[in-house]
Amino acid sequence: MSVTIELVGEIAVIELDDGGKNVINHELLELMEAAWDKAEAEAKAIVLKGRDGCFCAGFDLKVLNSGDAEAFNALGARGGRMARRIYDCSVPVVGVTEGHAMTIGLVWLAGCDLRIAEEGRFKFGMTEVALGVALPGWAVEPLRTRLQPGYLEPALLHSATYDPNGALAAGFIDRVAPTGEALDAAMSAAAELSKLAGPAYRRTKRALRQPVLAQLAEHFG
C-alpha cells in the first residue's frame, strides 16, 4: 500500500498505488490525508492519479461484505470527508485516470477542477446500487453538479458503466487523452491552472461550489 507525493516545481503529484485495484480502506485514507496536507501547504496545484490500469476500484469489499454496518459506515464517512477536502481544495486539482474508475473514485474525481482520462478498455461506474448499497447524499451531490442531466438516473440509480468516451459524454470526465498521454496532459493543465491560483481563485471556486459545500457540511460538520 502506498500513497506517494512528489513536488514537480509548484505542482504536487499524489499517486495512489496499492499494487492492485486501489481499493479504499483506512490505511490508504490515512496516507492520502497526510499527502493532501502536504500538497495544500506547499503546492500551487495538485495532480491526483491512480496506478496504471486503475484509478480506484471503490471501497474495500471485505468491509462491505463483513456485515459490520458500523465499520462500513465509518469507512464511507472517511472517504466522504476526503471527497469534501478535494471539492473544497484551496488550490486547483487535476484528476487523471489511466485505467478503471469506480464508485468513490468517481466522487473524488467530481471534486477535481479538471478530469482527464486515458483512452482504453476501461470502465467507469457508480455501481453501489448493483452491490446493494444506497448512495448517500454526500456522494450524490458532487456528482449531480458534474453529470449531464440525462445520465444521472442511469449512472446513479441503474449502475450503468461506461468506457472513457461514454464517461466523457456522461460528465464523469472532461477530456480523453490518447494512450500514454494522460499524465502529461494533466501536468500541463495543472501548470496553467496554477497561474490562476490565489485568493481570487479560491474565493470564486468556493462561491461556485457553496451549495454543495453547505450540503456536505450537513453530513460532516
Side-chain angles (χ1 to χ4, degrees):
M1 177 73 66
S2 73
V3 176
T4 58
I5 177 170
E6 179 184 5
L7 290 172
V8 181
E10 295 181 314
I11 300 171
V13 181
I14 297 175
E15 180 174 358
L16 316 179
D17 187 353
D18 68 357
K21 296 182 178 180
N22 276 352
V23 297
I24 305 306
N25 53 31
H26 287 291
E27 181 183 356
L28 185 143
L29 283 165
E30 184 173 351
L31 295 170
M32 187 174 177
E33 290 159 0
W36 207 265
D37 288 340
K38 181 177 176 66
E40 280 200 283
E42 300 181 13
K44 289 189 176 180
I46 297 171
V47 169
L48 175 63
K49 70 181 297 289
R51 69 192 307 271
D52 289 347
C54 194
F55 177 79
C56 173
F59 287 118
D60 192 340
L61 288 178
K62 292 194 295 291
V63 180
L64 172 63
N65 296 327
S66 69
D68 187 338
E70 183 175 346
F72 183 72
N73 289 337
L75 180 60
R78 193 171 185 181
R81 288 191 292 271
M82 190 68 240
R84 180 185 178 184
R85 291 194 66 181
I86 297 169
Y87 200 76
D88 194 30
C89 188
S90 59
V91 300
V93 182
V94 178
V96 56
T97 171
E98 299 164 295
H100 305 293
M102 308 296 287
T103 64
I104 185 62
L106 289 174
V107 179
W108 288 350
L109 285 173
C112 297
D113 300 53
L114 180 68
R115 304 154 300 163
I116 300 174
E118 187 169 290
E119 65 182 6
R121 299 178 65 181
F122 304 126
K123 289 185 178 181
F124 295 72
M126 296 295 298
T127 55
E128 282 85 348
V129 172
L131 295 171
V133 178
L135 277 167
W138 62 257
V140 170
E141 294 310 319
L143 289 165
R144 191 192 304 276
T145 67
R146 307 304 296 269
L147 291 178
Q148 296 298 317
Y151 284 86
L152 272 171
E153 288 203 1
L156 304 186
L157 188 58
H158 304 158
S159 294
T161 59
Y162 306 91
D163 64 11
N165 287 319
L168 176 64
F172 280 121
I173 56 173
D174 301 301
R175 299 182 191 171
V176 177
T179 301
E181 297 182 18
L183 181 57
D184 286 344
M187 294 297 292
S188 178
E192 288 300 311
L193 289 175
S194 71
K195 298 174 185 178
L196 302 173
Y201 188 93
R202 289 193 292 271
R203 288 197 297 268
T204 303
K205 180 177 177 177
R206 183 161 289 180
L208 284 168
R209 297 184 170 192
Q210 187 54 43
V212 174
L213 290 171
Q215 292 174 349
L216 292 176
E218 292 181 7
H219 289 280
F220 303 116

